Amino acid sequence: MLRRSRDVEFEIDHVHTAAEAIGKLDLNSYDLVIFDLGLPDNDGVAAIHRISLAHPSTPVFVLSGDERHEIAIAAIEAGAQDFLPKQHLAGQLLTRMAAMSIARQKRLRTAELASLTDSLTGIGNRRATDHAFERRQRRRVGGSPVFGLAMIDIDRFKSINDLYGHDVGDEVIREVAFKLSKASDPDWDVCRHGGEEFTVLFSSSSIEETNLIADRLQSSCTFSHGAAPVARVTASCGATLVEHDDTFRSASKRADYALYASKQGGRCRSFIHDGKSIHPVTRVDLSPFAFAPSADTTVALAFRQGQSKV
Ligand code: GH3
Ligand code: MG
């Protein structure tokens, strides 16, 4: 019916099971879901609940051959925006309802985007981290870790405020947000957790990779702010890999332990929590080598880790 509409052009993906629908919703952004209660793998109202919980900003219309009042109420209570009995469905009515719902949703999306954005820095806020974390956990397949969480906190920020004033403090927070975003890959989630603390969710499947990423994020926050007087800015980082059964709370607790170790260890450094214990991230110090590397210098390095040479 929607495809035949002459008034509105819809782009439509058609899938045959609730599982396929949820998979598509996790990967793409849709304006509307039209959900048939009679799908083969469908557990009815529970599936609507799952979809609306996972994608609260996508409206769901439910189609059903069962016109009973209680089914319609249960669908709406589970999160559906509308309930459409198949027998009485006309193309024009469906087109109109879909177009109006999409228009309404656009307005709500703008408001939702504002509610997920930190007003000082323009990056995501703490709610945005929660959303991004849940989205990444839903997308993960199998039990192995596929993303990490880093917490980055500006060092002795109170003294920046005290020495240079609150406005300069705000500028420093904005600059750190910018530097972290620049040091991050496009698909990472960089958010301001609150105050002078930031979170980054990044793709990583090993502790070694997490080490490198933590170092890259933390070192991007070492800079001088402003002309005389210059504020020297550094930050500390704690990071961990996210396990399949982690909540944001459990993963951030580990990252926070690691961040605390970085502060205790003298600041301007990173620690990693590997699930059991905390380790410092060691940076290779090239200063003993008497050469000035340029952009096209290739460096071969050998490391000794414990008893084995890598
Ligand atoms: P540490 O190295 O241990 O992290 O020390 P710190 O001084 O960075 O941490 P502390 O928690 O003692 O101080 C953080 C300060 O950040 C206190 C608070 O007034 C300030 N702050 C929090 N949010 C903002 C903000 O939005 N703007 C400015 N300018 N300051 C802020
Ligand atoms: Mg701090």
Side-chain angles (χ1 to χ4, degrees), residues 27 41 51 67-68 70 127 157 242 270 282:
L27 290 175
D41 67 333
I51 291 179
E67 285 189 39
R68 277 176 301 159
E70 56 269 30
R127 267 189 81 212
F157 183 65
V242 177
S270 300
T282 43

Side-chain angles (χ1 to χ4, degrees), residues 153-154 156-158 161 166 170 192 195-196 263 267:
D153 183 283
I154 306 176
R156 306 215 186 276
F157 183 65
K158 193 175 174 308
N161 270 341
H166 203 268
D170 281 358
R192 183 176 174 209
E196 20 77 82
K263 295 283 183 187
R267 295 175 173 77

Side-chain angles (χ1 to χ4, degrees), residues 22 41 44 48 62-63 82 96 99 105 115 123 126 137 147 162 179 188 197 201 214 246 272 279 281 304:
I22 291 173
D41 67 333
I48 304 168
V62 173
L63 280 182
D82 233 314
R96 195 185 153 89
Q105 210 54 31
S115 79
I123 63 173
R126 191 184 175 138
Q137 280 292 52
F147 73 99
D162 293 345
K179 299 222 180 255
W188 296 0
E197 190 170 14
L201 299 177
D246 264 328
I272 305 289
H279 308 279
V281 171
R304 192 177 288 282

Side-chain angles (χ1 to χ4, degrees), residues 233-283:
V233 180
T234 64
S236 303
C237 173
T240 191
L241 274 168
V242 177
E243 298 295 335
H244 72 282
D245 55 353
D246 264 328
T247 58
F248 178 70
R249 205 182 158 79
S250 60
S252 63
K253 208 168 162 183
R254 288 198 304 277
D256 216 27
Y257 277 138
L259 174 60
Y260 182 72
S262 297
K263 295 283 183 187
Q264 292 295 303
R267 295 175 173 77
C268 190
R269 66 199 62 219
S270 300
F271 270 70
I272 305 289
H273 198 308
D274 66 7
K276 294 188 188 79
S277 53
I278 294 168
H279 308 279
V281 171
T282 43
R283 195 172 304 160

Side-chain angles (χ1 to χ4, degrees), residues 18-302:
E20 275 181 90
I22 291 173
K24 286 245 176 205
L25 280 160
D26 280 343
L27 290 175
N28 309 296
S29 164
Y30 290 92
D31 294 314
L32 177 65
V33 176
I34 300 181
F35 188 81
D36 192 327
L37 267 188
L39 289 178
D41 67 333
N42 187 346
D43 45 6
V45 169
I48 304 168
H49 190 59
R50 276 204 308 279
I51 291 179
S52 54
L53 211 62
H55 300 276
S57 57
T58 310
V60 181
F61 283 3
V62 173
L63 280 182
S64 176
D66 188 339
E67 285 189 39
R68 277 176 301 159
H69 185 67
E70 56 269 30
I71 302 277
I73 297 291
I76 300 293
E77 282 178 353
Q81 192 183 74
D82 233 314
F83 182 87
L84 310 170
K86 281 187 199 172
Q87 292 86 332
H88 305 296
L89 204 59
Q92 213 180 4
L93 177 68
L94 180 64
T95 303
R96 195 185 153 89
M97 287 180 73
M100 283 190 333
S101 168
I102 289 169
R104 241 190 335 260
Q105 210 54 31
K106 270 200 183 124
R107 214 182 54 217
L108 287 176
R109 277 233 172 98
T110 312
E112 196 197 33
L113 192 66
S115 79
L116 294 173
T117 305
D118 171 55
S119 56
L120 178 68
T121 59
I123 63 173
N125 58 18
R126 191 184 175 138
R127 267 189 81 212
T129 316
D130 289 343
H131 282 216
F133 187 93
E134 276 163 28
R135 198 174 52 240
R136 281 175 182 271
Q137 280 292 52
R138 269 199 315 275
R139 270 190 208 164
R140 123 195 339 261
V141 213
S144 58
V146 282
F147 73 99
L149 163 68
M151 305 196 81
I152 298 110
D153 183 283
I154 306 176
D155 295 328
R156 306 215 186 276
F157 183 65
K158 193 175 174 308
S159 64
I160 294 181
N161 270 341
D162 293 345
L163 280 169
Y164 306 98
H166 203 268
D167 287 350
V168 171
D170 281 358
E171 285 169 22
V172 167
I173 289 177
R174 271 198 291 266
E175 197 165 346
V176 168
F178 176 76
K179 299 222 180 255
L180 284 175
S181 304
K182 229 175 117 191
S184 297
D185 286 0
D187 65 324
W188 296 0
D189 300 287
V190 183
C191 299
R192 183 176 174 209
H193 195 60
E196 20 77 82
E197 190 170 14
F198 297 82
T199 54
V200 181
L201 299 177
F202 52 87
S203 315
S204 171
S205 52
S206 69
I207 281 291
E208 291 73 24
E209 201 180 349
T210 304
N211 269 284
L212 291 172
I213 291 169
D215 185 43
R216 170 171 146 193
L217 291 170
Q218 183 269 320
S219 51
S220 76
C221 300
T222 298
F223 60 94
S224 303
H225 177 84
V230 168
R232 291 285 306 150
V233 180
T234 64
S236 303
C237 173
T240 191
L241 274 168
V242 177
E243 298 295 335
H244 72 282
D245 55 353
D246 264 328
T247 58
F248 178 70
R249 205 182 158 79
S250 60
S252 63
K253 208 168 162 183
R254 288 198 304 277
D256 216 27
Y257 277 138
L259 174 60
Y260 182 72
S262 297
K263 295 283 183 187
Q264 292 295 303
R267 295 175 173 77
C268 190
R269 66 199 62 219
S270 300
F271 270 70
I272 305 289
H273 198 308
D274 66 7
K276 294 188 188 79
S277 53
I278 294 168
H279 308 279
V281 171
T282 43
R283 195 172 304 160
V284 183
D285 179 13
L286 292 177
S287 58
F289 301 99
F291 75 104
S294 66
D296 56 0
T297 307
T298 305
V299 186
L301 295 168

